[in-house]
mmCIF file with all atom_site columns, all heavy atoms in Angstrom:
data_model
loop_
_atom_site.group_PDB
_atom_site.id
_atom_site.type_symbol
_atom_site.label_atom_id
_atom_site.label_alt_id
_atom_site.label_comp_id
_atom_site.label_asym_id
_atom_site.label_entity_id
_atom_site.label_seq_id
_atom_site.pdbx_PDB_ins_code
_atom_site.Cartn_x
_atom_site.Cartn_y
_atom_site.Cartn_z
_atom_site.occupancy
_atom_site.B_iso_or_equiv
_atom_site.pdbx_formal_charge
_atom_site.auth_seq_id
_atom_site.auth_comp_id
_atom_site.auth_asym_id
_atom_site.auth_atom_id
_atom_site.pdbx_PDB_model_num
ATOM 1  N N   . GLU V 1 50 ? 1.212  -1.474  15.141 1.00 0.00 ? 59 GLU V N   1
ATOM 2  C CA  . GLU V 1 50 ? 2.160  -1.486  14.052 1.00 0.00 ? 59 GLU V CA  1
ATOM 3  C C   . GLU V 1 50 ? 3.712  -1.378  14.567 1.00 0.00 ? 59 GLU V C   1
ATOM 4  O O   . GLU V 1 50 ? 4.523  -2.071  13.970 1.00 0.00 ? 59 GLU V O   1
ATOM 5  C CB  . GLU V 1 50 ? 1.826  -0.436  13.058 1.00 0.00 ? 59 GLU V CB  1
ATOM 6  C CG  . GLU V 1 50 ? 2.064  1.069   13.594 1.00 0.00 ? 59 GLU V CG  1
ATOM 7  C CD  . GLU V 1 50 ? 0.754  1.506   14.191 1.00 0.00 ? 59 GLU V CD  1
ATOM 8  O OE1 . GLU V 1 50 ? -0.103 0.741   14.516 1.00 0.00 ? 59 GLU V OE1 1
ATOM 9  O OE2 . GLU V 1 50 ? 0.642  2.778   14.189 1.00 0.00 ? 59 GLU V OE2 1
ATOM 10 N N   . ASN V 1 51 ? 3.842  -0.613  15.637 1.00 0.00 ? 60 ASN V N   1
ATOM 11 C CA  . ASN V 1 51 ? 5.194  -0.396  16.152 1.00 0.00 ? 60 ASN V CA  1
ATOM 12 C C   . ASN V 1 51 ? 5.644  -1.772  17.036 1.00 0.00 ? 60 ASN V C   1
ATOM 13 O O   . ASN V 1 51 ? 6.870  -2.097  16.914 1.00 0.00 ? 60 ASN V O   1
ATOM 14 C CB  . ASN V 1 51 ? 5.301  0.705   17.107 1.00 0.00 ? 60 ASN V CB  1
ATOM 15 C CG  . ASN V 1 51 ? 5.157  2.016   16.320 1.00 0.00 ? 60 ASN V CG  1
ATOM 16 O OD1 . ASN V 1 51 ? 5.310  2.076   15.191 1.00 0.00 ? 60 ASN V OD1 1
ATOM 17 N ND2 . ASN V 1 51 ? 4.670  3.057   17.039 1.00 0.00 ? 60 ASN V ND2 1
ATOM 18 N N   . VAL V 1 52 ? 4.568  -2.428  17.666 1.00 0.00 ? 61 VAL V N   1
ATOM 19 C CA  . VAL V 1 52 ? 4.950  -3.634  18.395 1.00 0.00 ? 61 VAL V CA  1
ATOM 20 C C   . VAL V 1 52 ? 5.370  -4.660  17.330 1.00 0.00 ? 61 VAL V C   1
ATOM 21 O O   . VAL V 1 52 ? 6.336  -5.430  17.623 1.00 0.00 ? 61 VAL V O   1
ATOM 22 C CB  . VAL V 1 52 ? 3.769  -4.091  19.097 1.00 0.00 ? 61 VAL V CB  1
ATOM 23 C CG1 . VAL V 1 52 ? 3.961  -5.503  19.747 1.00 0.00 ? 61 VAL V CG1 1
ATOM 24 C CG2 . VAL V 1 52 ? 3.491  -3.134  20.307 1.00 0.00 ? 61 VAL V CG2 1
ATOM 25 N N   . LYS V 1 53 ? 4.663  -4.749  16.218 1.00 0.00 ? 62 LYS V N   1
ATOM 26 C CA  . LYS V 1 53 ? 5.071  -5.724  15.161 1.00 0.00 ? 62 LYS V CA  1
ATOM 27 C C   . LYS V 1 53 ? 6.418  -5.466  14.616 1.00 0.00 ? 62 LYS V C   1
ATOM 28 O O   . LYS V 1 53 ? 7.159  -6.385  14.264 1.00 0.00 ? 62 LYS V O   1
ATOM 29 C CB  . LYS V 1 53 ? 3.973  -5.708  14.114 1.00 0.00 ? 62 LYS V CB  1
ATOM 30 C CG  . LYS V 1 53 ? 4.131  -6.858  13.017 1.00 0.00 ? 62 LYS V CG  1
ATOM 31 C CD  . LYS V 1 53 ? 2.918  -6.893  12.129 1.00 0.00 ? 62 LYS V CD  1
ATOM 32 C CE  . LYS V 1 53 ? 2.990  -8.142  11.248 1.00 0.00 ? 62 LYS V CE  1
ATOM 33 N NZ  . LYS V 1 53 ? 3.275  -9.343  11.916 1.00 0.00 ? 62 LYS V NZ  1
ATOM 34 N N   . LEU V 1 54 ? 6.717  -4.212  14.459 1.00 0.00 ? 63 LEU V N   1
ATOM 35 C CA  . LEU V 1 54 ? 8.033  -3.812  13.942 1.00 0.00 ? 63 LEU V CA  1
ATOM 36 C C   . LEU V 1 54 ? 9.174  -4.309  14.868 1.00 0.00 ? 63 LEU V C   1
ATOM 37 O O   . LEU V 1 54 ? 10.220 -4.974  14.480 1.00 0.00 ? 63 LEU V O   1
ATOM 38 C CB  . LEU V 1 54 ? 8.121  -2.248  13.774 1.00 0.00 ? 63 LEU V CB  1
ATOM 39 C CG  . LEU V 1 54 ? 9.423  -1.711  13.134 1.00 0.00 ? 63 LEU V CG  1
ATOM 40 C CD1 . LEU V 1 54 ? 9.117  -0.344  12.419 1.00 0.00 ? 63 LEU V CD1 1
ATOM 41 C CD2 . LEU V 1 54 ? 10.524 -1.485  14.083 1.00 0.00 ? 63 LEU V CD2 1
ATOM 42 N N   . ILE V 1 55 ? 9.001  -4.088  16.191 1.00 0.00 ? 64 ILE V N   1
ATOM 43 C CA  . ILE V 1 55 ? 10.067 -4.480  17.133 1.00 0.00 ? 64 ILE V CA  1
ATOM 44 C C   . ILE V 1 55 ? 10.223 -6.057  17.106 1.00 0.00 ? 64 ILE V C   1
ATOM 45 O O   . ILE V 1 55 ? 11.292 -6.627  17.153 1.00 0.00 ? 64 ILE V O   1
ATOM 46 C CB  . ILE V 1 55 ? 9.705  -4.085  18.540 1.00 0.00 ? 64 ILE V CB  1
ATOM 47 C CG1 . ILE V 1 55 ? 9.781  -2.481  18.585 1.00 0.00 ? 64 ILE V CG1 1
ATOM 48 C CG2 . ILE V 1 55 ? 10.611 -4.613  19.535 1.00 0.00 ? 64 ILE V CG2 1
ATOM 49 C CD1 . ILE V 1 55 ? 11.065 -1.915  18.295 1.00 0.00 ? 64 ILE V CD1 1
ATOM 50 N N   . GLU V 1 56 ? 8.935  -6.695  17.035 1.00 0.00 ? 65 GLU V N   1
ATOM 51 C CA  . GLU V 1 56 ? 8.998  -8.136  17.112 1.00 0.00 ? 65 GLU V CA  1
ATOM 52 C C   . GLU V 1 56 ? 9.763  -8.684  15.887 1.00 0.00 ? 65 GLU V C   1
ATOM 53 O O   . GLU V 1 56 ? 10.615 -9.673  15.934 1.00 0.00 ? 65 GLU V O   1
ATOM 54 C CB  . GLU V 1 56 ? 7.657  -8.728  17.252 1.00 0.00 ? 65 GLU V CB  1
ATOM 55 C CG  . GLU V 1 56 ? 6.946  -8.471  18.532 1.00 0.00 ? 65 GLU V CG  1
ATOM 56 C CD  . GLU V 1 56 ? 5.520  -8.936  18.634 1.00 0.00 ? 65 GLU V CD  1
ATOM 57 O OE1 . GLU V 1 56 ? 4.958  -9.252  17.469 1.00 0.00 ? 65 GLU V OE1 1
ATOM 58 O OE2 . GLU V 1 56 ? 4.919  -9.000  19.746 1.00 0.00 ? 65 GLU V OE2 1
ATOM 59 N N   . THR V 1 57 ? 9.443  -8.183  14.695 1.00 0.00 ? 66 THR V N   1
ATOM 60 C CA  . THR V 1 57 ? 10.078 -8.578  13.436 1.00 0.00 ? 66 THR V CA  1
ATOM 61 C C   . THR V 1 57 ? 11.567 -8.401  13.434 1.00 0.00 ? 66 THR V C   1
ATOM 62 O O   . THR V 1 57 ? 12.323 -9.253  13.060 1.00 0.00 ? 66 THR V O   1
ATOM 63 C CB  . THR V 1 57 ? 9.461  -7.872  12.243 1.00 0.00 ? 66 THR V CB  1
ATOM 64 O OG1 . THR V 1 57 ? 8.020  -8.022  12.277 1.00 0.00 ? 66 THR V OG1 1
ATOM 65 C CG2 . THR V 1 57 ? 10.013 -8.315  10.982 1.00 0.00 ? 66 THR V CG2 1
ATOM 66 N N   . CYS V 1 58 ? 11.971 -7.206  13.926 1.00 0.00 ? 67 CYS V N   1
ATOM 67 C CA  . CYS V 1 58 ? 13.420 -6.893  13.892 1.00 0.00 ? 67 CYS V CA  1
ATOM 68 C C   . CYS V 1 58 ? 14.201 -7.719  14.884 1.00 0.00 ? 67 CYS V C   1
ATOM 69 O O   . CYS V 1 58 ? 15.395 -8.075  14.661 1.00 0.00 ? 67 CYS V O   1
ATOM 70 C CB  . CYS V 1 58 ? 13.652 -5.441  14.058 1.00 0.00 ? 67 CYS V CB  1
ATOM 71 S SG  . CYS V 1 58 ? 13.140 -4.398  12.745 1.00 0.00 ? 67 CYS V SG  1
ATOM 72 N N   . GLN V 1 59 ? 13.568 -7.993  16.092 1.00 0.00 ? 68 GLN V N   1
ATOM 73 C CA  . GLN V 1 59 ? 14.190 -8.760  17.043 1.00 0.00 ? 68 GLN V CA  1
ATOM 74 C C   . GLN V 1 59 ? 14.432 -10.244 16.667 1.00 0.00 ? 68 GLN V C   1
ATOM 75 O O   . GLN V 1 59 ? 15.443 -10.844 16.818 1.00 0.00 ? 68 GLN V O   1
ATOM 76 C CB  . GLN V 1 59 ? 13.335 -8.888  18.358 1.00 0.00 ? 68 GLN V CB  1
ATOM 77 C CG  . GLN V 1 59 ? 13.988 -9.568  19.523 1.00 0.00 ? 68 GLN V CG  1
ATOM 78 C CD  . GLN V 1 59 ? 13.045 -9.728  20.761 1.00 0.00 ? 68 GLN V CD  1
ATOM 79 O OE1 . GLN V 1 59 ? 11.875 -9.581  20.678 1.00 0.00 ? 68 GLN V OE1 1
ATOM 80 N NE2 . GLN V 1 59 ? 13.687 -9.978  21.870 1.00 0.00 ? 68 GLN V NE2 1
ATOM 81 N N   . GLN V 1 60 ? 13.417 -10.742 15.880 1.00 0.00 ? 69 GLN V N   1
ATOM 82 C CA  . GLN V 1 60 ? 13.553 -12.156 15.381 1.00 0.00 ? 69 GLN V CA  1
ATOM 83 C C   . GLN V 1 60 ? 14.588 -12.199 14.316 1.00 0.00 ? 69 GLN V C   1
ATOM 84 O O   . GLN V 1 60 ? 15.416 -13.230 14.192 1.00 0.00 ? 69 GLN V O   1
ATOM 85 C CB  . GLN V 1 60 ? 12.134 -12.584 14.852 1.00 0.00 ? 69 GLN V CB  1
ATOM 86 C CG  . GLN V 1 60 ? 11.130 -12.764 15.964 1.00 0.00 ? 69 GLN V CG  1
ATOM 87 C CD  . GLN V 1 60 ? 9.798  -13.103 15.360 1.00 0.00 ? 69 GLN V CD  1
ATOM 88 O OE1 . GLN V 1 60 ? 9.624  -13.252 14.173 1.00 0.00 ? 69 GLN V OE1 1
ATOM 89 N NE2 . GLN V 1 60 ? 8.789  -13.222 16.356 1.00 0.00 ? 69 GLN V NE2 1
ATOM 90 N N   . SER V 1 61 ? 14.620 -11.235 13.407 1.00 0.00 ? 70 SER V N   1
ATOM 91 C CA  . SER V 1 61 ? 15.581 -11.320 12.250 1.00 0.00 ? 70 SER V CA  1
ATOM 92 C C   . SER V 1 61 ? 16.886 -10.653 12.524 1.00 0.00 ? 70 SER V C   1
ATOM 93 O O   . SER V 1 61 ? 17.827 -10.939 11.802 1.00 0.00 ? 70 SER V O   1
ATOM 94 C CB  . SER V 1 61 ? 14.984 -10.534 11.084 1.00 0.00 ? 70 SER V CB  1
ATOM 95 O OG  . SER V 1 61 ? 14.747 -9.130  11.356 1.00 0.00 ? 70 SER V OG  1
#
Side-chain angles (χ1 to χ4, degrees):
E59 62 272 19
N60 294 338
V61 171
K62 187 169 184 60
L63 184 152
I64 295 297
E65 291 175 347
T66 302
C67 291
Q68 184 186 19
Q69 293 172 3
S70 63

